[in-house]
Amino acid sequence: WIERLAVERVADHAELLAHHYGHALDLSRAAGREGLDELEEATRRALMLAGERSISLDVARATECFDRVLELLPPNHPDRASALFWKAIAAQDAGRYEEAEELYRRSMEAFREGGDRIGEGMSLNRLSNVLWERGAYAESRKHLEESVEILAAEPPGPELAACYASSASARILVGAFDEAIGLRERALELARRLDAGALISRALSYRGGARCCSGDREGLDDLSRALEVAESIGSSRESA
């Protein structure tokens, strides 16, 4: 009934759906019912949505959702890769970098085994960021280059734009400002084509940083615009 009522805005009710489906599954199991595959699938779907929706507000709750999804998934199920990937994001956001690194490596292998090149590239990109945070700079750059190579060979999407943004950020940190600006332009062009607000904000932010570091005061305009875009989509992460 909730799903029928929500129609296209079902994601807004993900937490409520996860609650009801989860209880239905627990009660059905306690009653000894069999043939619960459909109910398990609905519960997993609701939990994934709830985790993705809550990750920017409540990392602990998001982690609980992804843990439950992984409990419900068989060992070789194709959806395990995505669940591992999102749990890694939650661990990274919580500052648990060692755990995040392990989870990204597991998700990368799972995506690779399933032939999902975009998922593999995304995991490599995020893994490179965690490795940089942990001080493993050489390995971080190696994985970032692998990520760009994989995603550039696939149809262009937000994953490639995010990868370009990560590459530009890495170039800023070593003082290669012109190279960073070039990568940001590619990220920004793709993000605008996809109308991806968070990526537009990120690309503008890093381009502004690179321009300011190279002595171009107009970089401040990029930073102001990046903040406007972030606030317009309600992204606390990009605003910060």
Side-chain angles (χ1 to χ4, degrees):
W1 175 79
I2 293 169
E3 286 182 319
R4 289 198 304 271
L5 187 69
V7 192
E8 294 180 357
R9 298 190 61 187
V10 68
D12 294 342
H13 303 272
E15 187 73 31
L16 190 59
L17 286 167
H19 169 79
H20 284 298
Y21 275 130
H23 275 288
L25 180 59
D26 290 341
L27 290 170
S28 296
R29 285 174 168 174
R33 289 184 59 189
E34 298 181 355
L36 299 175
D37 292 351
E38 187 176 340
L39 181 55
E40 288 179 352
E41 171 61 27
T43 303
R44 291 198 302 264
R45 186 175 64 249
L47 284 165
M48 280 297 295
L49 272 175
E52 291 172 22
R53 293 281 292 183
S54 64
I55 197 165
S56 62
L57 301 172
D58 188 344
V59 171
R61 174 56 186 155
T63 301
E64 290 174 5
C65 290
F66 301 134
D67 279 338
R68 185 77 193 278
V69 170
L70 289 166
E71 288 172 7
L72 292 171
L73 284 170
N76 297 319
H77 196 285
D79 289 346
R80 286 191 71 85
S82 291
L84 287 166
F85 178 77
W86 278 97
K87 185 180 177 182
I89 292 176
Q92 183 179 1
D93 285 356
R96 301 193 304 271
Y97 295 126
E98 186 173 352
E99 178 187 353
E101 179 183 340
E102 179 190 355
L103 287 166
Y104 282 131
R105 292 188 188 279
R106 289 172 61 191
S107 71
M108 179 183 66
E109 290 299 327
F111 279 127
R112 182 180 293 157
E113 290 174 4
D116 186 340
R117 296 288 281 169
I118 291 177
E120 182 184 350
M122 286 194 308
S123 295
L124 278 165
N125 183 15
R126 301 287 305 214
L127 174 60
S128 73
N129 182 259
V130 170
L131 289 168
W132 184 87
E133 296 282 359
R134 300 193 69 195
Y137 305 123
E139 189 178 3
S140 171
R141 181 164 186 178
K142 173 178 173 288
H143 286 314
L144 185 56
E145 290 172 352
E146 290 176 4
S147 176
V148 171
E149 182 179 349
I150 289 172
L151 293 174
E154 300 296 319
E159 301 84 7
L160 179 59
C163 201
Y164 283 149
S166 296
S167 298
S169 176
R171 302 316 294 151
I172 290 173
L173 293 170
V174 296
F177 303 126
D178 290 341
E179 188 178 346
I181 291 171
L183 285 163
R184 283 298 171 211
E185 294 294 349
R186 293 160 75 180
L188 186 57
E189 178 187 358
L190 186 51
R192 282 174 170 160
R193 195 191 316 163
L194 298 167
D195 195 26
L199 289 174
I200 291 172
S201 175
R202 195 178 310 164
L204 284 168
S205 173
Y206 287 136
R207 187 178 72 177
R211 292 173 76 182
C212 287
C213 287
S214 63
D216 182 357
R217 290 179 59 85
E218 290 185 5
L220 294 172
D221 296 332
D222 281 339
L223 293 171
S224 295
R225 178 61 184 147
L227 183 56
E228 289 174 8
V229 173
E231 291 177 341
S232 72
I233 61 173
S235 175
S236 58
R237 178 199 299 271
E238 301 302 335
S239 295

